[in-house]
PDB file of all heavy atoms in Angstrom:
ATOM      1  N   GLY A1244       0.801  -1.209   0.011  1.00  0.00           N
ATOM      2  CA  GLY A1244      -0.003   0.008  -0.012  1.00  0.00           C
ATOM      3  C   GLY A1244       0.858   1.256   0.003  1.00  0.00           C
ATOM      4  O   GLY A1244       2.075   1.194   0.323  1.00  0.00           O
ATOM      5  N   ARG A1245       0.317   2.334  -0.383  1.00  0.00           N
ATOM      6  CA  ARG A1245       1.082   3.585  -0.309  1.00  0.00           C
ATOM      7  C   ARG A1245       1.432   3.985   1.131  1.00  0.00           C
ATOM      8  O   ARG A1245       2.536   4.333   1.373  1.00  0.00           O
ATOM      9  CB  ARG A1245       0.243   4.721  -0.947  1.00  0.00           C
ATOM     10  CG  ARG A1245       0.208   4.752  -2.453  1.00  0.00           C
ATOM     11  CD  ARG A1245      -0.173   6.087  -2.963  1.00  0.00           C
ATOM     12  NE  ARG A1245       0.149   6.235  -4.381  1.00  0.00           N
ATOM     13  CZ  ARG A1245       0.185   7.382  -5.019  1.00  0.00           C
ATOM     14  NH1 ARG A1245      -0.148   8.496  -4.418  1.00  0.00           N
ATOM     15  NH2 ARG A1245       0.454   7.390  -6.355  1.00  0.00           N
ATOM     16  N   VAL A1246       0.474   3.770   2.008  1.00  0.00           N
ATOM     17  CA  VAL A1246       0.656   4.010   3.449  1.00  0.00           C
ATOM     18  C   VAL A1246      -0.038   2.936   4.224  1.00  0.00           C
ATOM     19  O   VAL A1246      -1.148   2.649   4.006  1.00  0.00           O
ATOM     20  CB  VAL A1246       0.122   5.393   3.895  1.00  0.00           C
ATOM     21  CG1 VAL A1246       0.479   5.699   5.323  1.00  0.00           C
ATOM     22  CG2 VAL A1246       0.713   6.503   2.964  1.00  0.00           C
ATOM     23  N   LYS A1247       0.662   2.442   5.283  1.00  0.00           N
ATOM     24  CA  LYS A1247       0.035   1.464   6.144  1.00  0.00           C
ATOM     25  C   LYS A1247      -0.746   2.136   7.248  1.00  0.00           C
ATOM     26  O   LYS A1247      -0.178   2.586   8.246  1.00  0.00           O
ATOM     27  CB  LYS A1247       1.143   0.494   6.753  1.00  0.00           C
ATOM     28  CG  LYS A1247       1.763  -0.388   5.663  1.00  0.00           C
ATOM     29  CD  LYS A1247       2.700  -1.426   6.316  1.00  0.00           C
ATOM     30  CE  LYS A1247       3.998  -0.784   6.787  1.00  0.00           C
ATOM     31  NZ  LYS A1247       4.904  -1.833   7.269  1.00  0.00           N
ATOM     32  N   THR A1248      -2.009   2.265   7.008  1.00  0.00           N
ATOM     33  CA  THR A1248      -2.887   2.981   7.921  1.00  0.00           C
ATOM     34  C   THR A1248      -3.761   1.995   8.714  1.00  0.00           C
ATOM     35  O   THR A1248      -3.707   0.805   8.480  1.00  0.00           O
ATOM     36  CB  THR A1248      -3.765   3.890   7.170  1.00  0.00           C
ATOM     37  OG1 THR A1248      -4.577   3.116   6.206  1.00  0.00           O
ATOM     38  CG2 THR A1248      -3.004   5.008   6.383  1.00  0.00           C
ATOM     39  N   GLN A1249      -4.553   2.499   9.610  1.00  0.00           N
ATOM     40  CA  GLN A1249      -5.527   1.621  10.264  1.00  0.00           C
ATOM     41  C   GLN A1249      -6.419   0.971   9.259  1.00  0.00           C
ATOM     42  O   GLN A1249      -6.717  -0.221   9.387  1.00  0.00           O
ATOM     43  CB  GLN A1249      -6.373   2.462  11.261  1.00  0.00           C
ATOM     44  CG  GLN A1249      -7.399   1.647  12.035  1.00  0.00           C
ATOM     45  CD  GLN A1249      -8.233   2.525  12.983  1.00  0.00           C
ATOM     46  OE1 GLN A1249      -8.066   3.766  13.088  1.00  0.00           O
ATOM     47  NE2 GLN A1249      -9.161   1.876  13.645  1.00  0.00           N
ATOM     48  N   GLY A1250      -6.860   1.771   8.241  1.00  0.00           N
ATOM     49  CA  GLY A1250      -7.739   1.106   7.225  1.00  0.00           C
ATOM     50  C   GLY A1250      -7.020   0.103   6.405  1.00  0.00           C
ATOM     51  O   GLY A1250      -7.717  -0.907   5.954  1.00  0.00           O
ATOM     52  N   PHE A1251      -5.756   0.235   6.102  1.00  0.00           N
ATOM     53  CA  PHE A1251      -5.016  -0.745   5.341  1.00  0.00           C
ATOM     54  C   PHE A1251      -4.945  -2.066   6.111  1.00  0.00           C
ATOM     55  O   PHE A1251      -5.214  -3.089   5.519  1.00  0.00           O
ATOM     56  CB  PHE A1251      -3.586  -0.183   5.151  1.00  0.00           C
ATOM     57  CG  PHE A1251      -2.679  -1.130   4.443  1.00  0.00           C
ATOM     58  CD1 PHE A1251      -2.742  -1.306   3.053  1.00  0.00           C
ATOM     59  CD2 PHE A1251      -1.684  -1.874   5.109  1.00  0.00           C
ATOM     60  CE1 PHE A1251      -1.888  -2.160   2.362  1.00  0.00           C
ATOM     61  CE2 PHE A1251      -0.834  -2.740   4.409  1.00  0.00           C
ATOM     62  CZ  PHE A1251      -0.956  -2.854   3.039  1.00  0.00           C
ATOM     63  N   PHE A1252      -4.721  -1.987   7.431  1.00  0.00           N
ATOM     64  CA  PHE A1252      -4.719  -3.206   8.233  1.00  0.00           C
ATOM     65  C   PHE A1252      -6.178  -3.821   8.293  1.00  0.00           C
ATOM     66  O   PHE A1252      -6.375  -5.010   8.161  1.00  0.00           O
ATOM     67  CB  PHE A1252      -4.291  -2.854   9.648  1.00  0.00           C
ATOM     68  CG  PHE A1252      -2.794  -2.899   9.839  1.00  0.00           C
ATOM     69  CD1 PHE A1252      -1.961  -1.976   9.236  1.00  0.00           C
ATOM     70  CD2 PHE A1252      -2.182  -3.881  10.669  1.00  0.00           C
ATOM     71  CE1 PHE A1252      -0.585  -1.911   9.376  1.00  0.00           C
ATOM     72  CE2 PHE A1252      -0.796  -3.831  10.870  1.00  0.00           C
ATOM     73  CZ  PHE A1252      -0.002  -2.897  10.208  1.00  0.00           C
ATOM     74  N   GLN A1253      -7.124  -2.934   8.480  1.00  0.00           N
ATOM     75  CA  GLN A1253      -8.510  -3.383   8.616  1.00  0.00           C
ATOM     76  C   GLN A1253      -8.992  -4.135   7.363  1.00  0.00           C
ATOM     77  O   GLN A1253      -9.703  -5.143   7.420  1.00  0.00           O
ATOM     78  CB  GLN A1253      -9.397  -2.123   8.816  1.00  0.00           C
ATOM     79  CG  GLN A1253     -10.819  -2.525   9.285  1.00  0.00           C
ATOM     80  CD  GLN A1253     -11.625  -1.259   9.623  1.00  0.00           C
ATOM     81  OE1 GLN A1253     -11.616  -0.230   8.915  1.00  0.00           O
ATOM     82  NE2 GLN A1253     -12.232  -1.278  10.746  1.00  0.00           N
ATOM     83  N   ASP A1254      -8.601  -3.672   6.212  1.00  0.00           N
ATOM     84  CA  ASP A1254      -8.956  -4.302   4.916  1.00  0.00           C
ATOM     85  C   ASP A1254      -8.360  -5.774   4.863  1.00  0.00           C
ATOM     86  O   ASP A1254      -9.046  -6.643   4.519  1.00  0.00           O
ATOM     87  CB  ASP A1254      -8.415  -3.454   3.742  1.00  0.00           C
ATOM     88  CG  ASP A1254      -8.654  -4.131   2.444  1.00  0.00           C
ATOM     89  OD1 ASP A1254      -9.828  -4.223   2.037  1.00  0.00           O
ATOM     90  OD2 ASP A1254      -7.697  -4.575   1.777  1.00  0.00           O
ATOM     91  N   ILE A1255      -7.129  -5.926   5.245  1.00  0.00           N
ATOM     92  CA  ILE A1255      -6.511  -7.248   5.258  1.00  0.00           C
ATOM     93  C   ILE A1255      -7.179  -8.166   6.215  1.00  0.00           C
ATOM     94  O   ILE A1255      -7.525  -9.311   5.855  1.00  0.00           O
ATOM     95  CB  ILE A1255      -4.967  -7.111   5.594  1.00  0.00           C
ATOM     96  CG1 ILE A1255      -4.262  -6.242   4.540  1.00  0.00           C
ATOM     97  CG2 ILE A1255      -4.379  -8.514   5.707  1.00  0.00           C
ATOM     98  CD1 ILE A1255      -2.835  -5.946   4.950  1.00  0.00           C
ATOM     99  N   LEU A1256      -7.480  -7.700   7.405  1.00  0.00           N
ATOM    100  CA  LEU A1256      -8.158  -8.503   8.464  1.00  0.00           C
ATOM    101  C   LEU A1256      -9.527  -8.949   7.904  1.00  0.00           C
ATOM    102  O   LEU A1256      -9.951 -10.131   8.022  1.00  0.00           O
ATOM    103  CB  LEU A1256      -8.286  -7.706   9.725  1.00  0.00           C
ATOM    104  CG  LEU A1256      -6.940  -7.304  10.396  1.00  0.00           C
ATOM    105  CD1 LEU A1256      -7.304  -6.472  11.629  1.00  0.00           C
ATOM    106  CD2 LEU A1256      -6.154  -8.553  10.858  1.00  0.00           C
ATOM    107  N   GLY A1257     -10.261  -8.007   7.361  1.00  0.00           N
ATOM    108  CA  GLY A1257     -11.619  -8.280   6.862  1.00  0.00           C
ATOM    109  C   GLY A1257     -11.657  -9.241   5.692  1.00  0.00           C
ATOM    110  O   GLY A1257     -12.501 -10.135   5.725  1.00  0.00           O
ATOM    111  N   ARG A1258     -10.776  -8.988   4.706  1.00  0.00           N
ATOM    112  CA  ARG A1258     -10.819  -9.783   3.549  1.00  0.00           C
ATOM    113  C   ARG A1258     -10.484 -11.265   3.816  1.00  0.00           C
ATOM    114  O   ARG A1258     -10.939 -12.199   3.107  1.00  0.00           O
ATOM    115  CB  ARG A1258      -9.910  -9.235   2.474  1.00  0.00           C
ATOM    116  CG  ARG A1258     -10.401  -8.024   1.793  1.00  0.00           C
ATOM    117  CD  ARG A1258      -9.542  -7.656   0.569  1.00  0.00           C
ATOM    118  NE  ARG A1258      -8.133  -7.288   0.939  1.00  0.00           N
ATOM    119  CZ  ARG A1258      -7.068  -7.982   0.755  1.00  0.00           C
ATOM    120  NH1 ARG A1258      -7.169  -9.185   0.263  1.00  0.00           N
ATOM    121  NH2 ARG A1258      -5.941  -7.511   1.135  1.00  0.00           N
ATOM    122  N   HIS A1259      -9.709 -11.548   4.821  1.00  0.00           N
ATOM    123  CA  HIS A1259      -9.218 -12.876   5.107  1.00  0.00           C
ATOM    124  C   HIS A1259      -9.884 -13.463   6.369  1.00  0.00           C
ATOM    125  O   HIS A1259      -9.440 -14.574   6.783  1.00  0.00           O
ATOM    126  CB  HIS A1259      -7.695 -12.884   5.257  1.00  0.00           C
ATOM    127  CG  HIS A1259      -7.003 -12.532   3.948  1.00  0.00           C
ATOM    128  ND1 HIS A1259      -6.848 -13.417   2.916  1.00  0.00           N
ATOM    129  CD2 HIS A1259      -6.414 -11.375   3.532  1.00  0.00           C
ATOM    130  CE1 HIS A1259      -6.263 -12.764   1.900  1.00  0.00           C
ATOM    131  NE2 HIS A1259      -5.949 -11.552   2.248  1.00  0.00           N
ATOM    132  N   GLY A1260     -10.784 -12.797   6.942  1.00  0.00           N
ATOM    133  CA  GLY A1260     -11.423 -13.277   8.163  1.00  0.00           C
ATOM    134  C   GLY A1260     -10.463 -13.531   9.298  1.00  0.00           C
ATOM    135  O   GLY A1260     -10.573 -14.536   9.976  1.00  0.00           O
ATOM    136  N   ILE A1261      -9.511 -12.677   9.486  1.00  0.00           N
ATOM    137  CA  ILE A1261      -8.513 -12.776  10.531  1.00  0.00           C
ATOM    138  C   ILE A1261      -9.007 -12.240  11.842  1.00  0.00           C
ATOM    139  O   ILE A1261      -9.684 -11.179  11.931  1.00  0.00           O
ATOM    140  CB  ILE A1261      -7.252 -12.030  10.092  1.00  0.00           C
ATOM    141  CG1 ILE A1261      -6.651 -12.615   8.780  1.00  0.00           C
ATOM    142  CG2 ILE A1261      -6.221 -12.064  11.270  1.00  0.00           C
ATOM    143  CD1 ILE A1261      -5.579 -11.769   8.158  1.00  0.00           C
ATOM    144  N   ALA A1262      -8.785 -13.062  12.915  1.00  0.00           N
ATOM    145  CA  ALA A1262      -9.165 -12.628  14.232  1.00  0.00           C
ATOM    146  C   ALA A1262      -8.098 -11.662  14.836  1.00  0.00           C
ATOM    147  O   ALA A1262      -6.970 -12.159  15.070  1.00  0.00           O
ATOM    148  CB  ALA A1262      -9.298 -13.858  15.130  1.00  0.00           C
ATOM    149  N   PRO A1263      -8.430 -10.370  15.019  1.00  0.00           N
ATOM    150  CA  PRO A1263      -7.375  -9.478  15.414  1.00  0.00           C
ATOM    151  C   PRO A1263      -6.741  -9.829  16.754  1.00  0.00           C
ATOM    152  O   PRO A1263      -5.524  -9.787  16.910  1.00  0.00           O
ATOM    153  CB  PRO A1263      -8.166  -8.140  15.554  1.00  0.00           C
ATOM    154  CG  PRO A1263      -9.325  -8.299  14.673  1.00  0.00           C
ATOM    155  CD  PRO A1263      -9.676  -9.731  14.761  1.00  0.00           C
ATOM    156  N   ALA A1264      -7.604 -10.244  17.781  1.00  0.00           N
ATOM    157  CA  ALA A1264      -7.053 -10.488  19.097  1.00  0.00           C
ATOM    158  C   ALA A1264      -6.094 -11.694  19.160  1.00  0.00           C
ATOM    159  O   ALA A1264      -5.310 -11.848  20.075  1.00  0.00           O
ATOM    160  CB  ALA A1264      -8.141 -10.689  20.058  1.00  0.00           C
ATOM    161  N   ALA A1265      -6.183 -12.576  18.150  1.00  0.00           N
ATOM    162  CA  ALA A1265      -5.322 -13.769  18.098  1.00  0.00           C
ATOM    163  C   ALA A1265      -4.265 -13.601  17.064  1.00  0.00           C
ATOM    164  O   ALA A1265      -3.460 -14.521  16.772  1.00  0.00           O
ATOM    165  CB  ALA A1265      -6.152 -14.996  17.716  1.00  0.00           C
ATOM    166  N   SER A1266      -4.015 -12.403  16.591  1.00  0.00           N
ATOM    167  CA  SER A1266      -3.122 -12.121  15.495  1.00  0.00           C
ATOM    168  C   SER A1266      -2.042 -11.048  15.863  1.00  0.00           C
ATOM    169  O   SER A1266      -2.318 -10.359  16.846  1.00  0.00           O
ATOM    170  CB  SER A1266      -3.779 -11.781  14.197  1.00  0.00           C
ATOM    171  OG  SER A1266      -4.672 -12.807  13.802  1.00  0.00           O
ATOM    172  N   TRP A1267      -0.995 -10.942  15.056  1.00  0.00           N
ATOM    173  CA  TRP A1267       0.150 -10.089  15.389  1.00  0.00           C
ATOM    174  C   TRP A1267       0.615  -9.230  14.253  1.00  0.00           C
ATOM    175  O   TRP A1267       0.499  -9.657  13.077  1.00  0.00           O
ATOM    176  CB  TRP A1267       1.308 -10.935  15.844  1.00  0.00           C
ATOM    177  CG  TRP A1267       1.057 -11.707  17.130  1.00  0.00           C
ATOM    178  CD1 TRP A1267       0.353 -12.830  17.301  1.00  0.00           C
ATOM    179  CD2 TRP A1267       1.556 -11.371  18.398  1.00  0.00           C
ATOM    180  NE1 TRP A1267       0.380 -13.228  18.598  1.00  0.00           N
ATOM    181  CE2 TRP A1267       1.149 -12.318  19.281  1.00  0.00           C
ATOM    182  CE3 TRP A1267       2.392 -10.369  18.851  1.00  0.00           C
ATOM    183  CZ2 TRP A1267       1.405 -12.321  20.678  1.00  0.00           C
ATOM    184  CZ3 TRP A1267       2.702 -10.297  20.259  1.00  0.00           C
ATOM    185  CH2 TRP A1267       2.206 -11.313  21.113  1.00  0.00           C
ATOM    186  N   SER A1268       1.162  -8.117  14.574  1.00  0.00           N
ATOM    187  CA  SER A1268       1.901  -7.283  13.599  1.00  0.00           C
ATOM    188  C   SER A1268       3.277  -7.138  14.109  1.00  0.00           C
ATOM    189  O   SER A1268       3.472  -6.875  15.283  1.00  0.00           O
ATOM    190  CB  SER A1268       1.248  -5.968  13.471  1.00  0.00           C
ATOM    191  OG  SER A1268       2.086  -5.040  12.658  1.00  0.00           O
ATOM    192  N   VAL A1269       4.277  -7.369  13.219  1.00  0.00           N
ATOM    193  CA  VAL A1269       5.725  -7.305  13.574  1.00  0.00           C
ATOM    194  C   VAL A1269       6.364  -6.296  12.662  1.00  0.00           C
ATOM    195  O   VAL A1269       6.343  -6.469  11.418  1.00  0.00           O
ATOM    196  CB  VAL A1269       6.438  -8.616  13.485  1.00  0.00           C
ATOM    197  CG1 VAL A1269       7.801  -8.526  13.880  1.00  0.00           C
ATOM    198  CG2 VAL A1269       5.643  -9.684  14.407  1.00  0.00           C
ATOM    199  N   GLY A1270       6.975  -5.264  13.201  1.00  0.00           N
ATOM    200  CA  GLY A1270       7.686  -4.311  12.374  1.00  0.00           C
ATOM    201  C   GLY A1270       8.475  -3.286  13.077  1.00  0.00           C
ATOM    202  O   GLY A1270       8.336  -3.185  14.381  1.00  0.00           O
ATOM    203  N   ASN A1271       9.322  -2.559  12.431  1.00  0.00           N
ATOM    204  CA  ASN A1271      10.216  -1.667  13.085  1.00  0.00           C
ATOM    205  C   ASN A1271       9.595  -0.194  13.244  1.00  0.00           C
ATOM    206  O   ASN A1271      10.282   0.663  13.815  1.00  0.00           O
ATOM    207  CB  ASN A1271      11.553  -1.496  12.342  1.00  0.00           C
ATOM    208  CG  ASN A1271      11.378  -0.781  10.962  1.00  0.00           C
ATOM    209  OD1 ASN A1271      10.582  -1.118  10.163  1.00  0.00           O
ATOM    210  ND2 ASN A1271      12.218   0.264  10.781  1.00  0.00           N
ATOM    211  N   SER A1272       8.425   0.051  12.745  1.00  0.00           N
ATOM    212  CA  SER A1272       7.863   1.357  12.763  1.00  0.00           C
ATOM    213  C   SER A1272       6.716   1.469  13.743  1.00  0.00           C
ATOM    214  O   SER A1272       5.709   0.755  13.629  1.00  0.00           O
ATOM    215  CB  SER A1272       7.338   1.720  11.282  1.00  0.00           C
ATOM    216  OG  SER A1272       6.651   2.947  11.364  1.00  0.00           O
TER     217      SER A1272
END
């Protein structure tokens, strides 16, 4: 994506039926 925003994350979670509370983000920013 151009910018990793809340909406960018939300789109990935929604499209793939990902459970947020059981999932992780790993990064240096």
Side-chain angles (χ1 to χ4, degrees):
R1245 282 198 165 194
V1246 183
K1247 291 188 287 186
T1248 62
Q1249 180 182 0
F1251 178 76
F1252 276 67
Q1253 191 174 49
D1254 176 69
I1255 297 170
L1256 298 174
R1258 284 190 295 106
H1259 296 282
I1261 297 170
S1266 299
W1267 295 77
S1268 171
V1269 178
N1271 71 305
S1272 174

